[in-house]
Amino acid sequence: MSSIKLIYMMIDEIKTKSLFDSDYFSSKEKELLNKYKSESSKNEAIASLFLKKKYVGEYYINEYGKPLSDHIFFNISHSHSFIAIAISDSNIGIDIEKIRPFSNYLKEYISSNMEKEYITDEISFFEIWTNKEAIVKAYGVGVKENVKNIPSLPLNAIKQYKEKTFFNKTFILDGYVITVSKEENRDFDIEIIKLDEFDI
């Protein structure tokens, strides 16, 4: 069985200002980070850049806005204070959503009839949501179709999306629903690593 690494941190538990003030980022990177108007957006950007520099190194952004590397497959997602990077040996997508109330409008907008029947609470709604987001991120070209047509069920199973085959894995961690989508036709292990102040 193949495996991926999922490395995450809680932004409100780390000292992003100390990280920003350190020598970890170049002056050009700090200049770009300073362009964020809100403190929360800046902190998210600091954490995201830290993860990419530490675990990926050199990367670029494709025409659809997905960060890519020539030597490693990775993807990043964040929701509220939670931010994570997934690292793999094949195309990978990750989506994270804090478990919270959702609107009926969103449920109607994203869900097929079968998915509407599946959704009974906040957890099941975000299971559907993250499965769709993760597979699109793994595919790497953004949503170019009706969201209802993007597969989500059954959970923890093979999904056919366009001409590719993915395996989606969904779980709950620290009050967040997380789905990882890997371009593969079988299950995989996930090694979860939480970073704290001492790792930064």
Side-chain angles (χ1 to χ4, degrees):
M1 184 179 287
S2 66
S3 65
I4 70 156
K5 279 189 177 179
L6 191 155
I7 303 144
Y8 79 100
M9 63 173 85
M10 305 304 289
I11 297 171
D12 57 6
E13 294 177 6
I14 63 169
K15 295 175 181 173
T16 50
K17 186 178 186 311
S18 298
L19 183 57
F20 179 81
D21 291 338
S22 72
D23 295 329
Y24 195 80
F25 300 122
S26 68
S27 56
K28 185 177 180 181
E29 289 169 337
K30 288 182 179 182
E31 186 180 330
L32 291 171
L33 290 167
N34 272 328
K35 290 185 176 179
Y36 287 89
K37 291 185 167 58
S38 76
E39 196 68 23
S40 63
S41 295
K42 181 179 177 180
N43 289 339
E44 287 168 9
I46 289 170
S48 176
L49 183 56
F50 169 79
L51 289 173
K52 286 181 280 196
K53 282 174 67 87
K54 184 175 177 70
Y55 295 101
V56 179
E58 293 294 323
Y59 67 93
Y60 61 95
I61 308 295
N62 76 2
E63 60 185 299
Y64 304 104
K66 181 176 180 176
L68 297 170
S69 165
D70 290 329
H71 65 279
I72 195 171
F73 293 95
F74 75 98
N75 199 229
I76 285 184
S77 182
H78 65 81
S79 176
H80 297 256
S81 181
F82 197 117
I83 184 164
I85 184 168
I87 298 170
S88 175
D89 59 359
S90 62
N91 283 326
I92 191 86
I94 179 172
D95 193 58
I96 300 164
E97 291 294 340
K98 183 175 177 137
I99 299 168
R100 63 193 190 276
F102 63 92
S103 71
N104 274 329
Y105 168 79
L106 273 180
K107 176 181 174 180
E108 292 293 322
Y109 180 73
I110 71 164
S111 307
S112 66
N113 289 334
M114 182 170 66
E115 290 164 346
K116 284 176 194 172
E117 290 182 12
Y118 178 81
I119 295 171
T120 57
D121 57 14
E122 288 89 352
I123 291 174
S124 53
F125 172 78
F126 285 112
E127 286 173 338
I128 297 296
W129 178 286
T130 58
N131 267 266
K132 291 172 182 281
E133 287 281 344
I135 202 168
V136 168
K137 291 176 75 178
Y139 192 81
V141 298
V143 178
K144 294 184 175 298
E145 62 187 283
N146 189 328
V147 182
K148 295 178 181 181
N149 296 331
I150 300 169
S152 67
L153 295 174
L155 300 183
N156 304 312
I158 289 173
K159 307 279 189 295
Q160 294 296 141
Y161 182 60
K162 300 185 185 290
E163 76 283 3
K164 294 185 178 181
T165 301
F166 299 87
F167 195 99
N168 281 19
K169 202 159 191 173
T170 304
F171 57 97
I172 296 171
L173 181 63
D174 293 344
Y176 292 78
V177 176
I178 301 171
T179 296
V180 177
S181 182
K182 186 175 190 293
E183 189 177 352
E184 191 158 276
N185 62 0
R186 56 186 176 146
D187 196 359
F188 53 88
D189 288 327
I190 302 178
E191 179 187 358
I192 299 175
I193 302 165
K194 182 180 181 182
L195 300 183
D196 58 29
E197 205 68 56
F198 298 104
D199 299 309
I200 296 170

